[in-house]
């Protein structure tokens, strides 16, 4: 993957998150995005990348919460407040959304 591809992937993520801010359930959320298939392998690949992004951020929040004596739920809610579009988008796609949420609550 080239730097150009990496930057284009980032642009796609930002575009989808901006759209999700308006309506995470919009059927056109992934419409008209050039190179979505090429750079992510389609919508499922992009959703996996977004879920991975959430998981990485949540992992850090959980580690910090443990150090600070806060609960996993507090860490989860803090991240959800910081990244509402990402959380809403993942929640709208329950297969991915519940996987990350369930992992947070198990800890």
């Amino acid at each position: 993957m080239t730097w150009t591809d990496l930057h284009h992937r980032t642009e796609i993520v930002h575009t989808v998150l901006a759209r999700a801010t308006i309506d995470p359930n919009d059927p056109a959320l992934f419409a008209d995005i050039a190179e979505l298939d090429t750079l992510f392998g389609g919508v499922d690949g992009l959703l996996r990348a977004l879920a991975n992004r959430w998981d990485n951020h949540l992992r850090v929040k959980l580690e910090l919460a443990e150090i600070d004596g806060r609960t996993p739920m507090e860490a989860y809610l803090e991240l959800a407040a910081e990244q509402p579009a990402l959380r809403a988008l993942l929640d709208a796609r329950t297969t991915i959304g519940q996987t990350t949420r369930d992992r947070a609550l198990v800890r």
Side-chain angles (χ1 to χ4, degrees), residues 1-10 35 38-39:
M1 177 181 304
T2 67
W3 281 109
T4 301
D5 290 343
L6 180 64
H7 289 292
H8 197 118
R9 281 176 58 101
T10 301
E35 297 187 54
T38 303
L39 295 174

Side-chain angles (χ1 to χ4, degrees), residues 6-107:
L6 180 64
H7 289 292
H8 197 118
R9 281 176 58 101
T10 301
E11 289 173 16
I12 290 171
V13 166
H14 290 169
T15 297
V16 169
L17 290 175
R19 291 178 182 182
T21 299
I22 298 165
D23 182 3
N25 296 300
D26 184 356
L29 196 63
F30 305 104
D32 301 323
I33 297 179
E35 297 187 54
L36 176 64
D37 291 337
T38 303
L39 295 174
F40 287 96
V43 172
D44 288 341
L46 174 56
L47 288 172
R48 281 193 298 275
L50 291 168
N52 186 54
R53 177 184 182 136
W54 174 267
D55 287 345
N56 287 338
H57 291 200
L58 181 59
R59 195 171 302 111
V60 171
K61 289 286 186 186
L62 291 170
E63 289 174 10
L64 291 173
E66 188 174 356
I67 291 168
D68 295 339
R70 294 180 294 126
T71 67
M73 180 56 82
E74 289 171 321
Y76 174 89
L77 293 173
E78 179 181 24
L79 182 57
E82 290 173 1
Q83 299 191 38
L86 177 57
R87 184 70 259 156
L89 189 145
L90 294 174
D91 287 343
R93 274 72 186 165
T94 55
T95 303
I96 291 174
Q98 289 187 353
T99 300
T100 58
R101 183 175 44 242
D102 292 346
R103 272 185 271 174
L105 299 177
V106 168
R107 289 185 113 192

